[in-house]
Amino acid sequence: MSTHIAFNSLTSELIAARKNSHEICRTFTKSPSRGNLKRLKTLFGHCGEQVMIEPPFHCDYGNHITIGERTFININCTLLDSPVKAGAIVIGRDCLIGPNVQLLAVSHAVNPTARLEKGNFCASVTIGDNVWIGAGAIVLAGVSIGNNSVVGAGSVVTKNVAANSVVAGNPAVKIRDI
């Protein structure tokens, strides 16, 4: 798992950045035209060719989201991304992201005092190439999923997933090799 970095999401600058991203996501959701999809993709640090995103879609900032070529993101996907590179969300090429998937690069401390003092923390989420993440899966901050892997529907991924693996459950555990 990667290092967790604290940040304050309540600064006026970050509130304005989220408001802008949320408005672009809402516009795309209300009217998923090519123009609004193109506008959505301009939020991202990088978006490859032939990427398909089905509305509704949500992200908080977008500037540290990278999506590889030919990736498909199904309906109601949430990428809870960070305004800092340490909380990037990187999705590889040829990935299938199922409906209602959440990739959460931002979280909070479990300890209540630390939660009040530090606010949010972030750690990158990295999805390798040719990964299939099933419907309703949740991938937590700091997790990497290796190339060619499959995450079963409804799984909660709390730890790294080796390449060429099938994982499922809450918390997700390895079921088998591919």
Side-chain angles (χ1 to χ4, degrees), residues 94-138:
D94 303 303
C95 291
L96 300 171
I97 310 295
N100 299 307
V101 166
Q102 299 175 53
L103 305 180
L104 308 176
V106 177
S107 192
H108 308 282
V110 173
N111 178 290
T113 303
R115 197 167 45 244
L116 287 173
E117 291 173 0
K118 298 190 186 229
N120 300 322
F121 72 80
C122 63
S124 294
V125 170
T126 304
I127 311 300
D129 295 335
N130 196 30
V131 170
W132 174 22
I133 301 178
I138 300 170

Side-chain angles (χ1 to χ4, degrees), residues 10-85:
L10 299 178
T11 66
S12 58
E13 178 182 75
L14 293 183
I15 290 170
R18 277 194 315 279
K19 184 177 177 183
N20 178 62
S21 295
H22 292 174
E23 182 57 32
I24 291 170
C25 290
R26 271 193 299 277
T27 300
F28 171 67
T29 294
K30 287 179 186 175
S31 177
S33 66
R34 279 190 184 190
N36 285 334
L37 176 59
K38 185 176 180 181
R39 187 172 174 218
L40 176 68
K41 289 178 178 182
T42 64
L43 283 176
F44 305 148
H46 172 78
C47 188
E49 296 294 320
Q50 300 176 8
V51 168
M52 303 233 358
I53 300 172
E54 296 288 338
F57 173 86
H58 177 81
C59 70
D60 269 353
Y61 303 97
N63 57 322
H64 295 296
I65 293 173
T66 299
I67 304 174
E69 290 74 19
R70 298 170 304 279
T71 286
F72 177 79
I73 298 175
N74 213 323
I75 61 171
N76 208 32
C77 183
T78 298
L79 304 185
L80 192 56
D81 57 316
S82 161
V84 296
K85 190 168 177 80

Side-chain angles (χ1 to χ4, degrees), residues 138-161:
I138 300 170
V139 180
L140 298 183
V143 169
S144 292
I145 299 175
N147 293 344
N148 306 312
S149 292
V150 175
V151 175
S155 296
V156 179
V157 186
T158 61
K159 296 182 178 165
N160 292 344
V161 175

